[in-house]
Amino acid sequence: MALFVQKYGGTSVGSTERIKNVARRVAKYYAQGHELVVVVSAMSGETNRLITLAKEIQTNPDPRELDVMVSTGEQVTVALLAMALKELNVKAKSYTGAQVRILTDNAYTKARILKIDEDRIRSDLKAGYVVVVAGFQGIDEANNITTLGRGGSDTTGVALAAALKADECQIYTDVNGIYTTDPRIVPEARRLKTITFEEMLEMASLGSKVLQIRAVEFAGKYKVKLRVLSSFEEEGEGTLITFEENHNIMEQAVISGIAFNRDEAKITILGAPDHPGVAYQILGPVADANIGVDMIIQNVSHDGTTDFSFTVNRSEFTNTMGILKDKILPHIGARDIIGGDKIAKVSVVGVGMRSHAGIASKMFRVLAEEGINIQMISTSEIKISVVVDEKYMELAVRVLHKAFDLDRAQ
Amino acid sequence: MALFVQKYGGTSVGSTERIKNVARRVAKYYAQGHELVVVVSAMSGETNRLITLAKEIQTNPDPRELDVMVSTGEQVTVALLAMALKELNVKAKSYTGAQVRILTDNAYTKARILKIDEDRIRSDLKAGYVVVVAGFQGIDEANNITTLGRGGSDTTGVALAAALKADECQIYTDVNGIYTTDPRIVPEARRLKTITFEEMLEMASLGSKVLQIRAVEFAGKYKVKLRVLSSFEEEGEGTLITFEENHNIMEQAVISGIAFNRDEAKITILGAPDHPGVAYQILGPVADANIGVDMIIQNVSHDGTTDFSFTVNRSEFTNTMGILKDKILPHIGARDIIGGDKIAKVSVVGVGMRSHAGIASKMFRVLAEEGINIQMISTSEIKISVVVDEKYMELAVRVLHKAFDLDRAQ
């Protein structure tokens, strides 16, 4: 008998039929004697419907009011799931984020969870209820409704699991686990039975969008056992996300997966003066415009100048180039700004690479053998990322997947 | 400079265009320096959409969960209206019933307001905000979401006006006031400039469904000045609902209006023994089955028995007949039960009739002249109701409207 927090995303609750399926799965666990807290997202399409409605009124909807609106999406789903459970004679009760009191900061549309009052949930569990909680939402100190931003329901699930010290947080999605890479690109891609938090973080942020990155960070911080499962398969153990310290490094493959991302654009400031504060002068106005930056690369300088490169989301490319040309180039005395959005980032990820030399050189050799030119390189302790022309992305993923033996059993 | 509570119903906020119209009207009052609290219903059709969704899961949706769901309807509207106001550069802030803390009992789907925390609204008004509040909903002591039942947004408006001691509660609807009777039946029907609370109560409960009866009771209890206006007309003063004590009885017409209702059915227990407790024996099981009873008539007895009649909503007719035949007739020793659902109730209403004799006889004479047979009669201090064959209803309304000079100016 365990306490599970289960999270079901928008596709899993996309219709009343699917909600009934979720209820049957929850009822099965309930019948086995487990305590269950179920976190659900809005029915797929609902959040977009609400945002469209808001935009009919305001081109840029007021963030406070937008949160009041979109939070209704999950509120509808929790009620429907609680009804479906009662229909199966399972005692169930729904809660909004405000009702649980999932306390967040007041950063509307992208709030962060500060604290969860778990007392009421605990007493409901003790009384034999399945507790159904609206994902993605909370309330600030002043009782304003907030949302955690897209995908925030994962974070709600993990945060509840942490607060309740649940045995496992199970994230049900439309895939049955984390794969070595995208099976649509590499048919030989395998489901990983386990993946470390750090690898998962790199995989998620690099574009394997199974879990929300903040949720994974949260799970890591509070040592929540996290499992990704399919809501459309009856059986299947999914992929368990582990802490490295619980992980037998001897059995760990060198590389766990190949991640990729074609949503970025690269920008390079050529001949920037190499003195303290320049990096801040360049990225300050970009950050002020709320543009997220991913890779940042600066090589050693010569002749007192250096080339400074970074990548941004492709949709921000034109905007960022404009800011740089108008506000930055005239002030810092760089030679020029160049950029391109026909790029893709490909990364090999694995905690094993820490103790294995030669991963980088093997990666670069494999790409060279295929005639793929590398435009940028960036590394962390457990990943190596390269930027290549986007037309080579799929080829790069396939050859790397094979070269690192990812198609063989773990 | 006054404090107005304005309430807009589902039709008035039925589309984003209409919400923008409401915002323009509110902004006009705001520009005149008034303080404004605006109560809105769900967009028309939304509550039914949500109930349909719930019924796909449960034939009889769980009341607690149903309230969680349907309360999202108003939550969406308050956010949209607040956005529309901001778009007109009016400071505005939305609140759900829970956020205001409109405290109710825990009778889900038909809760009653117990108390309103008005402090936060007051300080927002002082800070120059238009406060937009979700109608129809509240929260109980244990923080469960409740709804006040259909039409409950009127009650929210009146309760807020009472709590804030507002100068006027303005109910915006799709009609421009209260009429002497339904203009679709009598084209000469006139808009009343004023109507007393008591008349309004009789008119509302008798089927002139402009205002929710509970809202009118509430307004009467807390002496809230209530005005019914059209949300589709730019000008127009609507109908002010007054307290009789502020009303110059000399100027009061004898009769204010003709109300009617064809949603009822009549039931008569023939030859019931005329001894204490029989009325309770008859109506107890009916009340236990949650069937509402409207008119109740019992005439003097002869030979120790009496005929006991009452009316119920037409949709409850078969059900009520069944209960009476199975559970009541065998026990009380009455002769028989008869009933019919092809009836209509027609009423003349007016505080003036208290001081004028002969209203009843005039009413009965007018109906007799048209050959309309009266099946039942019931009276209160300010109304006389008759039950007639439903096929005569429109004729009865027309001839009474004319006979009491309601087509002439007030």
Side-chain angles (χ1 to χ4, degrees), chain A residues 120-159:
Chain A
R120 192 165 173 187
I121 295 178
R122 261 194 221 290
S123 73
D124 280 345
L125 289 174
K126 204 161 280 177
Y129 283 96
V130 169
V131 176
V132 184
V133 178
F136 172 73
Q137 57 182 249
I139 197 161
D140 73 6
E141 273 290 357
N143 267 355
N144 297 303
I145 293 167
T146 55
T147 69
L148 311 180
R150 288 255 161 158
S153 293
D154 286 354
T155 310
T156 304
V158 172

mmCIF file of all heavy atoms in Angstrom, chain A residues 120-159:
data_model
loop_
_atom_site.group_PDB
_atom_site.id
_atom_site.type_symbol
_atom_site.label_atom_id
_atom_site.label_comp_id
_atom_site.label_asym_id
_atom_site.label_seq_id
_atom_site.Cartn_x
_atom_site.Cartn_y
_atom_site.Cartn_z
ATOM 1 N N ARG A 120 -5.409 19.301 4.427
ATOM 2 C CA ARG A 120 -6.751 18.912 4.022
ATOM 3 C C ARG A 120 -6.708 17.668 3.133
ATOM 4 O O ARG A 120 -7.548 16.777 3.251
ATOM 5 C CB ARG A 120 -7.393 20.078 3.273
ATOM 6 C CG ARG A 120 -8.860 19.860 3.088
ATOM 7 C CD ARG A 120 -9.570 21.134 2.698
ATOM 8 N NE ARG A 120 -10.950 20.832 2.367
ATOM 9 C CZ ARG A 120 -11.791 21.713 1.856
ATOM 10 N NH1 ARG A 120 -11.404 22.945 1.602
ATOM 11 N NH2 ARG A 120 -13.035 21.364 1.574
ATOM 12 N N ILE A 121 -5.721 17.602 2.249
ATOM 13 C CA ILE A 121 -5.570 16.429 1.388
ATOM 14 C C ILE A 121 -5.291 15.194 2.239
ATOM 15 O O ILE A 121 -5.885 14.136 2.044
ATOM 16 C CB ILE A 121 -4.428 16.650 0.365
ATOM 17 C CG1 ILE A 121 -4.800 17.779 -0.594
ATOM 18 C CG2 ILE A 121 -4.112 15.363 -0.388
ATOM 19 C CD1 ILE A 121 -3.739 18.105 -1.608
ATOM 20 N N ARG A 122 -4.372 15.356 3.211
ATOM 21 C CA ARG A 122 -4.046 14.225 4.076
ATOM 22 C C ARG A 122 -5.276 13.684 4.798
ATOM 23 O O ARG A 122 -5.496 12.479 4.871
ATOM 24 C CB ARG A 122 -3.025 14.655 5.128
ATOM 25 C CG ARG A 122 -1.622 14.278 4.769
ATOM 26 C CD ARG A 122 -0.708 14.424 5.982
ATOM 27 N NE ARG A 122 0.566 15.000 5.598
ATOM 28 C CZ ARG A 122 1.481 14.364 4.867
ATOM 29 N NH1 ARG A 122 1.236 13.133 4.452
ATOM 30 N NH2 ARG A 122 2.609 14.940 4.543
ATOM 31 N N SER A 123 -6.113 14.592 5.296
ATOM 32 C CA SER A 123 -7.266 14.090 6.056
ATOM 33 C C SER A 123 -8.296 13.470 5.106
ATOM 34 O O SER A 123 -8.972 12.507 5.470
ATOM 35 C CB SER A 123 -7.858 15.188 6.938
ATOM 36 O OG SER A 123 -8.541 16.119 6.154
ATOM 37 N N ASP A 124 -8.387 13.987 3.886
ATOM 38 C CA ASP A 124 -9.264 13.348 2.893
ATOM 39 C C ASP A 124 -8.760 11.946 2.546
ATOM 40 O O ASP A 124 -9.538 11.003 2.420
ATOM 41 C CB ASP A 124 -9.337 14.183 1.618
ATOM 42 C CG ASP A 124 -10.295 15.362 1.741
ATOM 43 O OD1 ASP A 124 -11.107 15.367 2.687
ATOM 44 O OD2 ASP A 124 -10.230 16.262 0.901
ATOM 45 N N LEU A 125 -7.431 11.808 2.366
ATOM 46 C CA LEU A 125 -6.856 10.494 2.045
ATOM 47 C C LEU A 125 -7.146 9.516 3.180
ATOM 48 O O LEU A 125 -7.547 8.375 2.948
ATOM 49 C CB LEU A 125 -5.344 10.613 1.827
ATOM 50 C CG LEU A 125 -4.881 11.329 0.549
ATOM 51 C CD1 LEU A 125 -3.367 11.494 0.552
ATOM 52 C CD2 LEU A 125 -5.325 10.575 -0.707
ATOM 53 N N LYS A 126 -6.976 10.004 4.400
ATOM 54 C CA LYS A 126 -7.221 9.172 5.567
ATOM 55 C C LYS A 126 -8.681 8.713 5.603
ATOM 56 O O LYS A 126 -8.996 7.598 6.003
ATOM 57 C CB LYS A 126 -6.853 9.937 6.847
ATOM 58 C CG LYS A 126 -6.526 9.052 8.025
ATOM 59 C CD LYS A 126 -5.744 9.811 9.094
ATOM 60 C CE LYS A 126 -4.259 9.913 8.737
ATOM 61 N NZ LYS A 126 -3.500 10.692 9.722
ATOM 62 N N ALA A 127 -9.575 9.594 5.142
ATOM 63 C CA ALA A 127 -11.003 9.261 5.132
ATOM 64 C C ALA A 127 -11.391 8.422 3.911
ATOM 65 O O ALA A 127 -12.573 8.169 3.677
ATOM 66 C CB ALA A 127 -11.828 10.547 5.169
ATOM 67 N N GLY A 128 -10.380 7.998 3.121
ATOM 68 C CA GLY A 128 -10.675 7.086 2.026
ATOM 69 C C GLY A 128 -11.023 7.748 0.699
ATOM 70 O O GLY A 128 -11.496 7.088 -0.218
ATOM 71 N N TYR A 129 -10.773 9.052 0.586
ATOM 72 C CA TYR A 129 -11.060 9.742 -0.677
ATOM 73 C C TYR A 129 -9.885 9.650 -1.645
ATOM 74 O O TYR A 129 -8.723 9.670 -1.227
ATOM 75 C CB TYR A 129 -11.315 11.234 -0.439
ATOM 76 C CG TYR A 129 -12.679 11.548 0.125
ATOM 77 C CD1 TYR A 129 -12.864 11.717 1.496
ATOM 78 C CD2 TYR A 129 -13.779 11.686 -0.723
ATOM 79 C CE1 TYR A 129 -14.107 12.010 2.024
ATOM 80 C CE2 TYR A 129 -15.022 11.977 -0.206
ATOM 81 C CZ TYR A 129 -15.199 12.141 1.159
ATOM 82 O OH TYR A 129 -16.429 12.438 1.668
ATOM 83 N N VAL A 130 -10.213 9.574 -2.943
ATOM 84 C CA VAL A 130 -9.236 9.931 -3.958
ATOM 85 C C VAL A 130 -9.334 11.442 -4.107
ATOM 86 O O VAL A 130 -10.424 11.997 -4.258
ATOM 87 C CB VAL A 130 -9.547 9.248 -5.310
ATOM 88 C CG1 VAL A 130 -8.683 9.847 -6.420
ATOM 89 C CG2 VAL A 130 -9.325 7.744 -5.214
ATOM 90 N N VAL A 131 -8.195 12.127 -4.007
ATOM 91 C CA VAL A 131 -8.188 13.588 -4.076
ATOM 92 C C VAL A 131 -7.764 14.012 -5.483
ATOM 93 O O VAL A 131 -6.704 13.614 -5.961
ATOM 94 C CB VAL A 131 -7.237 14.181 -3.016
ATOM 95 C CG1 VAL A 131 -7.170 15.695 -3.156
ATOM 96 C CG2 VAL A 131 -7.705 13.780 -1.620
ATOM 97 N N VAL A 132 -8.615 14.787 -6.146
ATOM 98 C CA VAL A 132 -8.344 15.219 -7.515
ATOM 99 C C VAL A 132 -8.002 16.710 -7.487
ATOM 100 O O VAL A 132 -8.802 17.527 -7.026
ATOM 101 C CB VAL A 132 -9.565 14.976 -8.422
ATOM 102 C CG1 VAL A 132 -9.232 15.334 -9.863
ATOM 103 C CG2 VAL A 132 -10.036 13.521 -8.323
ATOM 104 N N VAL A 133 -6.796 17.055 -7.945
ATOM 105 C CA VAL A 133 -6.309 18.436 -7.820
ATOM 106 C C VAL A 133 -6.075 19.039 -9.207
ATOM 107 O O VAL A 133 -5.516 18.396 -10.090
ATOM 108 C CB VAL A 133 -5.000 18.477 -6.999
ATOM 109 C CG1 VAL A 133 -4.458 19.901 -6.913
ATOM 110 C CG2 VAL A 133 -5.222 17.909 -5.608
ATOM 111 N N ALA A 134 -6.503 20.286 -9.362
ATOM 112 C CA ALA A 134 -6.276 21.011 -10.611
ATOM 113 C C ALA A 134 -4.795 21.335 -10.744
ATOM 114 O O ALA A 134 -4.216 21.955 -9.867
ATOM 115 C CB ALA A 134 -7.095 22.303 -10.621
ATOM 116 N N GLY A 135 -4.205 20.902 -11.837
ATOM 117 C CA GLY A 135 -2.805 21.206 -12.083
ATOM 118 C C GLY A 135 -2.638 22.639 -12.556
ATOM 119 O O GLY A 135 -3.620 23.348 -12.788
ATOM 120 N N PHE A 136 -1.381 23.101 -12.628
ATOM 121 C CA PHE A 136 -1.065 24.300 -13.400
ATOM 122 C C PHE A 136 -1.435 25.589 -12.692
ATOM 123 O O PHE A 136 -1.115 26.677 -13.184
ATOM 124 C CB PHE A 136 -1.795 24.167 -14.751
ATOM 125 C CG PHE A 136 -1.804 25.331 -15.685
ATOM 126 C CD1 PHE A 136 -0.661 25.696 -16.384
ATOM 127 C CD2 PHE A 136 -2.967 26.054 -15.887
ATOM 128 C CE1 PHE A 136 -0.695 26.754 -17.278
ATOM 129 C CE2 PHE A 136 -3.011 27.110 -16.778
ATOM 130 C CZ PHE A 136 -1.863 27.462 -17.475
ATOM 131 N N GLN A 137 -2.057 25.509 -11.514
ATOM 132 C CA GLN A 137 -2.586 26.744 -10.920
ATOM 133 C C GLN A 137 -2.328 26.834 -9.424
ATOM 134 O O GLN A 137 -2.090 25.840 -8.756
ATOM 135 C CB GLN A 137 -4.089 26.825 -11.153
ATOM 136 C CG GLN A 137 -4.868 25.640 -10.614
ATOM 137 C CD GLN A 137 -6.361 25.764 -10.919
ATOM 138 O OE1 GLN A 137 -7.179 25.957 -10.036
ATOM 139 N NE2 GLN A 137 -6.679 25.680 -12.184
ATOM 140 N N GLY A 138 -2.406 28.041 -8.920
ATOM 141 C CA GLY A 138 -2.249 28.273 -7.500
ATOM 142 C C GLY A 138 -2.874 29.599 -7.124
ATOM 143 O O GLY A 138 -3.753 30.101 -7.829
ATOM 144 N N ILE A 139 -2.402 30.133 -6.014
ATOM 145 C CA ILE A 139 -2.965 31.372 -5.501
ATOM 146 C C ILE A 139 -1.833 32.101 -4.800
ATOM 147 O O ILE A 139 -0.967 31.466 -4.211
ATOM 148 C CB ILE A 139 -4.156 31.048 -4.564
ATOM 149 C CG1 ILE A 139 -5.024 32.261 -4.345
ATOM 150 C CG2 ILE A 139 -3.680 30.457 -3.246
ATOM 151 C CD1 ILE A 139 -6.405 31.887 -3.838
ATOM 152 N N ASP A 140 -1.802 33.444 -4.898
ATOM 153 C CA ASP A 140 -0.715 34.155 -4.231
ATOM 154 C C ASP A 140 -1.147 34.585 -2.829
ATOM 155 O O ASP A 140 -2.283 34.328 -2.416
ATOM 156 C CB ASP A 140 -0.197 35.318 -5.092
ATOM 157 C CG ASP A 140 -1.168 36.489 -5.143
ATOM 158 O OD1 ASP A 140 -2.192 36.463 -4.428
ATOM 159 O OD2 ASP A 140 -0.909 37.429 -5.900
ATOM 160 N N GLU A 141 -0.252 35.242 -2.122
ATOM 161 C CA GLU A 141 -0.511 35.655 -0.742
ATOM 162 C C GLU A 141 -1.809 36.458 -0.633
ATOM 163 O O GLU A 141 -2.528 36.373 0.349
ATOM 164 C CB GLU A 141 0.645 36.530 -0.228
ATOM 165 C CG GLU A 141 1.801 35.761 0.389
ATOM 166 C CD GLU A 141 1.424 35.129 1.733
ATOM 167 O OE1 GLU A 141 0.292 35.331 2.198
ATOM 168 O OE2 GLU A 141 2.264 34.409 2.293
ATOM 169 N N ALA A 142 -2.096 37.274 -1.667
ATOM 170 C CA ALA A 142 -3.261 38.163 -1.633
ATOM 171 C C ALA A 142 -4.496 37.498 -2.249
ATOM 172 O O ALA A 142 -5.457 38.185 -2.593
ATOM 173 C CB ALA A 142 -2.942 39.464 -2.359
ATOM 174 N N ASN A 143 -4.440 36.165 -2.392
ATOM 175 C CA ASN A 143 -5.586 35.404 -2.916
ATOM 176 C C ASN A 143 -5.884 35.645 -4.385
ATOM 177 O O ASN A 143 -7.006 35.398 -4.838
ATOM 178 C CB ASN A 143 -6.850 35.702 -2.112
ATOM 179 C CG ASN A 143 -7.036 34.702 -0.982
ATOM 180 O OD1 ASN A 143 -6.260 33.737 -0.880
ATOM 181 N ND2 ASN A 143 -8.035 34.905 -0.165
ATOM 182 N N ASN A 144 -4.923 36.166 -5.140
ATOM 183 C CA ASN A 144 -5.107 36.254 -6.588
ATOM 184 C C ASN A 144 -4.804 34.892 -7.204
ATOM 185 O O ASN A 144 -3.892 34.190 -6.771
ATOM 186 C CB ASN A 144 -4.145 37.291 -7.188
ATOM 187 C CG ASN A 144 -4.422 38.685 -6.670
ATOM 188 O OD1 ASN A 144 -5.534 39.198 -6.811
ATOM 189 N ND2 ASN A 144 -3.418 39.287 -6.042
ATOM 190 N N ILE A 145 -5.589 34.533 -8.227
ATOM 191 C CA ILE A 145 -5.360 33.265 -8.916
ATOM 192 C C ILE A 145 -4.139 33.399 -9.819
ATOM 193 O O ILE A 145 -3.979 34.396 -10.515
ATOM 194 C CB ILE A 145 -6.606 32.888 -9.747
ATOM 195 C CG1 ILE A 145 -7.779 32.567 -8.817
ATOM 196 C CG2 ILE A 145 -6.306 31.712 -10.680
ATOM 197 C CD1 ILE A 145 -9.124 32.491 -9.519
ATOM 198 N N THR A 146 -3.272 32.389 -9.775
ATOM 199 C CA THR A 146 -2.072 32.399 -10.616
ATOM 200 C C THR A 146 -2.003 31.106 -11.413
ATOM 201 O O THR A 146 -2.641 30.117 -11.053
ATOM 202 C CB THR A 146 -0.800 32.476 -9.748
ATOM 203 O OG1 THR A 146 -0.834 31.398 -8.802
ATOM 204 C CG2 THR A 146 -0.715 33.798 -9.002
ATOM 205 N N THR A 147 -1.246 31.125 -12.514
ATOM 206 C CA THR A 147 -0.953 29.864 -13.199
ATOM 207 C C THR A 147 0.559 29.723 -13.327
ATOM 208 O O THR A 147 1.301 30.709 -13.277
ATOM 209 C CB THR A 147 -1.590 29.769 -14.594
ATOM 210 O OG1 THR A 147 -0.945 30.683 -15.467
ATOM 211 C CG2 THR A 147 -3.082 30.050 -14.539
ATOM 212 N N LEU A 148 0.969 28.466 -13.482
ATOM 213 C CA LEU A 148 2.397 28.152 -13.471
ATOM 214 C C LEU A 148 2.997 28.206 -14.865
ATOM 215 O O LEU A 148 4.158 27.910 -15.046
ATOM 216 C CB LEU A 148 2.614 26.748 -12.889
ATOM 217 C CG LEU A 148 1.906 26.440 -11.568
ATOM 218 C CD1 LEU A 148 2.221 25.026 -11.144
ATOM 219 C CD2 LEU A 148 2.327 27.416 -10.491
ATOM 220 N N GLY A 149 2.204 28.551 -15.848
ATOM 221 C CA GLY A 149 2.705 28.516 -17.216
ATOM 222 C C GLY A 149 2.470 27.150 -17.820
ATOM 223 O O GLY A 149 2.219 26.167 -17.133
ATOM 224 N N ARG A 150 2.558 27.103 -19.139
ATOM 225 C CA ARG A 150 2.294 25.869 -19.888
ATOM 226 C C ARG A 150 3.079 24.678 -19.340
ATOM 227 O O ARG A 150 4.247 24.809 -19.033
ATOM 228 C CB ARG A 150 2.684 26.093 -21.365
ATOM 229 C CG ARG A 150 1.716 27.007 -22.080
ATOM 230 C CD ARG A 150 0.829 26.219 -22.986
ATOM 231 N NE ARG A 150 -0.358 27.000 -23.301
ATOM 232 C CZ ARG A 150 -1.106 26.777 -24.367
ATOM 233 N NH1 ARG A 150 -0.790 25.822 -25.219
ATOM 234 N NH2 ARG A 150 -2.183 27.483 -24.570
ATOM 235 N N GLY A 151 2.427 23.554 -19.251
ATOM 236 C CA GLY A 151 3.103 22.360 -18.773
ATOM 237 C C GLY A 151 3.234 22.323 -17.266
ATOM 238 O O GLY A 151 3.775 21.382 -16.695
ATOM 239 N N GLY A 152 2.711 23.348 -16.606
ATOM 240 C CA GLY A 152 2.885 23.462 -15.162
ATOM 241 C C GLY A 152 2.202 22.383 -14.348
ATOM 242 O O GLY A 152 2.471 22.253 -13.160
ATOM 243 N N SER A 153 1.317 21.611 -14.986
ATOM 244 C CA SER A 153 0.657 20.541 -14.241
ATOM 245 C C SER A 153 1.651 19.495 -13.759
ATOM 246 O O SER A 153 1.461 18.897 -12.695
ATOM 247 C CB SER A 153 -0.418 19.863 -15.110
ATOM 248 O OG SER A 153 -1.467 20.759 -15.355
ATOM 249 N N ASP A 154 2.711 19.260 -14.518
ATOM 250 C CA ASP A 154 3.769 18.348 -14.061
ATOM 251 C C ASP A 154 4.342 18.852 -12.748
ATOM 252 O O ASP A 154 4.547 18.082 -11.797
ATOM 253 C CB ASP A 154 4.910 18.281 -15.084
ATOM 254 C CG ASP A 154 4.537 17.485 -16.323
ATOM 255 O OD1 ASP A 154 3.446 16.885 -16.338
ATOM 256 O OD2 ASP A 154 5.346 17.477 -17.269
ATOM 257 N N THR A 155 4.599 20.154 -12.704
ATOM 258 C CA THR A 155 5.169 20.754 -11.497
ATOM 259 C C THR A 155 4.210 20.600 -10.322
ATOM 260 O O THR A 155 4.633 20.290 -9.206
ATOM 261 C CB THR A 155 5.474 22.247 -11.743
ATOM 262 O OG1 THR A 155 6.215 22.358 -12.957
ATOM 263 C CG2 THR A 155 6.266 22.834 -10.601
ATOM 264 N N THR A 156 2.917 20.808 -10.572
ATOM 265 C CA THR A 156 1.931 20.617 -9.502
ATOM 266 C C THR A 156 2.026 19.198 -8.955
ATOM 267 O O THR A 156 2.026 18.982 -7.737
ATOM 268 C CB THR A 156 0.503 20.857 -10.025
ATOM 269 O OG1 THR A 156 0.435 22.152 -10.606
ATOM 270 C CG2 THR A 156 -0.515 20.739 -8.907
ATOM 271 N N GLY A 157 2.102 18.218 -9.849
ATOM 272 C CA GLY A 157 2.171 16.823 -9.438
ATOM 273 C C GLY A 157 3.386 16.563 -8.567
ATOM 274 O O GLY A 157 3.282 15.974 -7.476
ATOM 275 N N VAL A 158 4.534 17.028 -9.016
ATOM 276 C CA VAL A 158 5.773 16.793 -8.276
ATOM 277 C C VAL A 158 5.741 17.522 -6.933
ATOM 278 O O VAL A 158 6.136 16.971 -5.902
ATOM 279 C CB VAL A 158 6.991 17.231 -9.117
ATOM 280 C CG1 VAL A 158 8.265 17.173 -8.284
ATOM 281 C CG2 VAL A 158 7.127 16.348 -10.356
ATOM 282 N N ALA A 159 5.231 18.756 -6.947
ATOM 283 C CA ALA A 159 5.190 19.538 -5.708
ATOM 284 C C ALA A 159 4.271 18.871 -4.681
ATOM 285 O O ALA A 159 4.591 18.824 -3.490
ATOM 286 C CB ALA A 159 4.718 20.958 -5.997
#
